[in-house]
Amino acid sequence: MRSPAQNCGPKITAARPFLLPLLLMSISACLGMDISGSNYINALNGTTVKIPCIFTSCYKIDVTHFNMNWTYQESLNGTEQKFMTYSRKKGMVPLHSERFRERVLFAGNLDKNDLSFTLSDVQLEDEGIYNCYVKNPPDRISGHGRIQLNVVTKLPPPRDSTIAVAIGASVGGALALLILSMVIVKCLCRYQKQELISEEKMEEEGKV
């Protein structure tokens, strides 16, 4: 007679092939972080714009190891200028910058992994690349988000949807008529076929 331990052995070994892929997927998913946000933003000159940076991580923020920086550069090859950083005591703190001065304000929520900020009174000189760098140990890979800000003097005029609606309605109507005509033709053909079969049957019965 087998012992209870021996009876349980096959069940454990059979479950391993199913548990191993799930375990590997959970481990690989927590090796790094992902940053979501818009890659391109258009802002009207003189207005206030919000530049987003939201990261996802398998670990909660540990204030003793968490690190975050916002930098600005005029182009990809330009020098990065740090204008906001994370402080253990004060949280997200704007740094003194001749370019932005007092126009930068943290508008995110650390509890929700939101590191967004707002830039007020947008100027043409503010156009460029804004980098969001995040380190959240024990995540092994650091996060990096890049947002291109384009400053415009006027917004493009809204598109007139009347023409599009009219074209869509006409195309839809034409398709509906086409489908209806196909159905009618198919029904007529089927009806004629049935009449032909009935006539042939009547002729055969008459001959008999």
Side-chain angles (χ1 to χ4, degrees):
M1 181 182 293
R2 293 183 179 180
S3 62
Q6 290 177 344
N7 293 332
C8 294
K11 294 182 180 180
I12 295 175
T13 54
R16 285 179 181 175
F18 299 97
L19 294 176
L20 185 59
L22 295 176
L23 181 61
L24 293 176
M25 289 175 62
S26 61
I27 293 175
S28 61
C30 295
L31 293 179
M33 66 174 65
D34 183 34
I35 293 182
S36 61
S38 302
N39 294 327
Y40 298 92
I41 297 178
N42 292 326
L44 183 62
N45 186 29
T47 62
T48 299
V49 63
K50 182 177 181 179
I51 300 181
C53 179
I54 301 174
F55 73 94
T56 57
S57 174
C58 295
Y59 308 97
K60 292 184 179 181
I61 294 179
D62 184 0
V63 295
T64 59
H65 299 92
F66 180 75
N67 188 14
M68 189 274 162
N69 293 311
W70 273 107
T71 66
Y72 166 83
Q73 55 184 149
E74 295 182 357
S75 62
L76 288 175
N77 298 326
T79 304
E80 296 188 32
Q81 306 172 13
K82 186 190 300 183
F83 62 89
M84 181 176 287
T85 188
Y86 175 78
S87 173
R88 298 180 183 177
K89 296 181 179 180
K90 299 181 181 179
M92 296 297 299
V93 180
L95 303 177
H96 176 73
S97 173
E98 293 294 335
R99 177 183 296 274
F100 302 115
R101 298 184 183 273
E102 306 296 331
R103 297 184 295 124
V104 172
L105 181 64
F106 178 65
N109 188 343
L110 291 177
D111 294 333
K112 297 181 179 180
N113 297 347
D114 187 355
L115 306 173
S116 308
F117 76 94
T118 58
L119 178 62
S120 60
D121 192 18
V122 176
Q123 305 296 319
L124 296 176
E125 294 79 11
D126 298 332
E127 186 170 286
I129 300 172
Y130 293 79
N131 298 287
C132 175
Y133 295 101
V134 185
K135 291 183 179 180
N136 187 40
D139 273 340
R140 298 181 181 181
I141 302 176
S142 302
H144 178 205
R146 181 182 290 114
I147 301 97
Q148 172 69 48
L149 177 64
N150 301 319
V151 182
V152 296
T153 55
K154 62 179 180 179
L155 295 176
R159 296 181 179 179
D160 188 3
S161 60
T162 305
I163 298 176
V165 172
I167 295 175
S170 60
V171 172
L175 289 176
L177 291 175
L178 179 61
I179 295 173
L180 181 60
S181 61
M182 291 175 64
V183 171
I184 293 174
V185 171
K186 188 175 182 180
C187 292
L188 290 175
C189 292
R190 184 178 298 176
Y191 180 73
Q192 292 176 357
K193 186 176 181 180
Q194 290 177 354
E195 285 188 346
L196 182 60
I197 293 173
S198 61
E199 290 179 358
E200 291 178 354
K201 287 183 178 179
M202 291 177 65
E203 290 179 358
E204 290 178 358
E205 289 176 357
K207 292 178 179 179
V208 173

